[in-house]
């Protein structure tokens, strides 16, 4: 099926990025969240991405404005009613994703496909209870979606071949690279990434070496494009914690995050989005908060 209009549910870190990518590919997109401030934060983030492109001479202000005019926002789920594909990007908990997919059932057209941007959860499990589990697939973008080209496309047990084809061709149309992966906790990329992140967290706890030094060491070694602690702050420590919990339950303690992530999440230090995480962002540049 051809996607003439898309929706994104959840205007947070990923939802806003994904809506930007869709509008950039000149597909009309509706961005929905539960509150007006959340929707506004999402819109602002999208405007910033376009502004950066204009500042860097990659597009003109009028081209950016044209793309932005393809974006509409709402706090009402019914605004997604005429979409051909809706991608959910709500927080990484199975109960919430199940509940959201069930609510979507009652507002979407029967032909609309539902994509989940889940990092690690089971597509099969989140589609259980849906009236149409066959239309649910994983569409896993990576942060920052406005830059990263890879998208993991995941079939659950009930996902139909038509659903997968719609998702794969949509991802290609928006100039990303779809890769079909097997359904398993963490799929491919997060299974590998989180194994490394858990190891480096354990190393920091065991040795007391600062997060900044470890980030510098991994960067200087050319191992990664971003140090693991800076990356975790960008991703959101609440998301990292949920993904670690999913992977630890599936694969055992080698995926455990230790106390460093849990303790920060408990006090609301979620990374860049809350101003503090492994680093302090309140003064502009990141500070090693240790
Ligand atoms: N953060 C990342 O780098 C990253 C990368 C890839 C995938 N993901 C996945 O994307 C999803 C979203 O992660 P995020 O980092 O954007 O989270 P986030 O916390 O930044 O944003 C989540 C948004 O969902 C909204 N929301 C909550 N309940 C809702 C509901 N019932 N209906 C509509 N909106 C609702 C919140 O208000 C918030 O704006 C998760 O499944 C996560 O695992 C995240």
């Amino acid at each position: 099926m051809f996607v003439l209009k898309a929706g994104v549910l959840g205007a947070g870190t990923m939802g806003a990025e994904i809506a930007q990518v869709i509008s950039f590919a000149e597909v009309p997109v509706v961005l929905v969240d539960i509150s007006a401030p959340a929707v506004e934060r999402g819109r602002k983030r999208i405007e910033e991405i376009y502004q950066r492109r204009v500042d860097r001479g990659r597009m003109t202000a009028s081209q950016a404005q044209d793309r932005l005019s393809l974006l509409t926002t709402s706090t009402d789920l019914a605004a997604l009613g005429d979409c051909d594909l809706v991608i959910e990007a709500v927080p990484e908990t199975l109960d919430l994703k199940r509940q959201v997919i069930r609510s979507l059932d009652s507002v979407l057209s029967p032909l609309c496909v539902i994509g989940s941007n889940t990092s690690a959860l089971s597509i099969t499990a989140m589609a259980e209870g849906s009236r149409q589990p066959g239309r649910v697939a994983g569409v896993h973008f990576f942060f920052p979606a406005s830059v990263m080209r890879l998208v993991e496309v995941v079939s659950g047990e009930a996902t139909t071949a038509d659903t997968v084809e719609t998702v794969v061709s949509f991802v290609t149309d928006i100039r990303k690279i779809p890769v079909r992966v097997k359904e398993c906790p963490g799929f491919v990329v997060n299974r590998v990434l989180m194994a490394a992140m858990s190891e480096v967290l354990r190393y920091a706890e065991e040795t007391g070496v600062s997060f900044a030094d470890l980030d510098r060491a991994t960067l200087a070694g050319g191992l990664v494009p971003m140090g693991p602690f800076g990356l975790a702050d960008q991703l959101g420590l609440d998301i990292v914690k949920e993904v670690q919990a999913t992977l630890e339950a599936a694969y055992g303690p080698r995926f455990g995050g230790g106390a460093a992530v849990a303790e920060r999440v408990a006090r609301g230090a979620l990374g860049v989005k809350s101003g503090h995480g492994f680093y302090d962002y309140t003064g502009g540049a990141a500070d090693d908060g240790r």
Side-chain angles (χ1 to χ4, degrees):
M1 189 180 63
F2 202 69
V3 176
L4 295 173
K5 185 173 184 184
V8 178
L9 184 62
T13 309
M14 286 305 287
E17 289 268 341
I18 294 168
Q20 189 277 334
V21 166
I22 295 171
S23 65
F24 188 65
E26 297 180 86
V27 178
V29 58
V30 189
L31 180 63
V32 174
D33 205 300
I34 39 178
S35 72
V39 163
E40 265 325 292
R41 274 195 299 277
R43 176 182 278 282
K44 195 161 166 279
R45 169 79 192 129
I46 294 170
E47 286 170 356
E48 282 166 4
I49 297 170
Y50 276 116
Q51 189 55 50
R52 211 171 47 225
R53 294 228 162 126
V54 171
D55 293 345
R56 292 180 180 168
R58 296 205 179 130
M59 64 196 306
T60 65
S62 119
Q63 283 169 331
Q65 203 45 53
D66 285 349
R67 303 283 168 65
L68 262 172
S69 69
L70 296 170
L71 172 76
T72 49
T73 55
S74 179
T75 53
D76 184 1
L77 220 53
L80 299 168
D82 59 349
C83 292
D84 303 308
L85 169 76
V86 170
I87 298 173
E88 74 73 20
V90 303
E92 181 78 354
T93 56
L94 185 57
D95 283 350
L96 178 61
K97 302 237 185 227
R98 271 196 181 128
Q99 179 204 315
V100 150
I101 288 171
R102 273 200 298 266
S103 313
L104 285 173
D105 271 346
S106 50
V107 297
L108 301 183
S109 94
L111 291 177
C112 180
V113 165
I114 300 177
S116 170
N117 190 48
T118 181
S119 300
L121 294 169
S122 160
I123 302 302
T124 302
M126 75 177 69
E128 274 165 16
S130 160
R131 285 203 296 270
Q132 289 181 247
R135 64 161 154 183
V136 183
V139 192
H140 183 212
F141 290 81
F142 294 87
F143 179 82
S146 51
V147 176
M148 304 292 278
R149 295 204 65 204
L150 184 72
V151 177
E152 289 177 323
V153 177
V154 192
S155 299
E157 282 167 21
T159 311
T160 65
D162 280 355
T163 296
V164 175
E165 286 316 313
T166 297
V167 168
V168 166
S169 70
F170 173 73
V171 169
T172 309
D173 288 345
I174 60 171
R175 299 174 209 145
K176 299 292 178 188
I177 301 169
V179 178
R180 297 172 203 231
V181 297
K182 280 281 235 193
E183 181 178 57
C184 70
F187 316 127
V188 177
V189 174
N190 273 332
R191 187 164 165 181
V192 174
L193 174 70
M194 286 296 161
M197 199 174 270
S198 294
E199 198 56 52
V200 86
L201 278 162
R202 268 196 295 276
Y203 184 88
E205 271 170 31
E206 284 166 20
T207 61
V209 173
S210 83
F211 305 129
D213 282 347
L214 282 171
D215 273 352
R216 272 193 291 273
T218 47
L219 275 172
L223 294 172
V224 286
M226 191 185 272
F229 298 100
L231 175 63
D233 276 357
Q234 292 285 340
L235 301 180
L237 298 189
D238 50 338
I239 299 289
V240 170
K241 180 169 174 276
E242 293 298 339
V243 174
Q244 283 177 325
T246 302
L247 297 183
E248 188 175 6
Y251 305 122
R254 73 183 197 274
F255 281 92
V261 173
E263 179 269 316
R264 283 172 176 76
V265 172
R267 63 180 156 88
L270 305 182
V272 175
K273 65 184 162 189
S274 71
H276 294 274
F278 287 111
Y279 295 91
D280 177 357
Y281 300 88
T282 51
D287 238 355
D288 181 356
R290 235 175 179 190

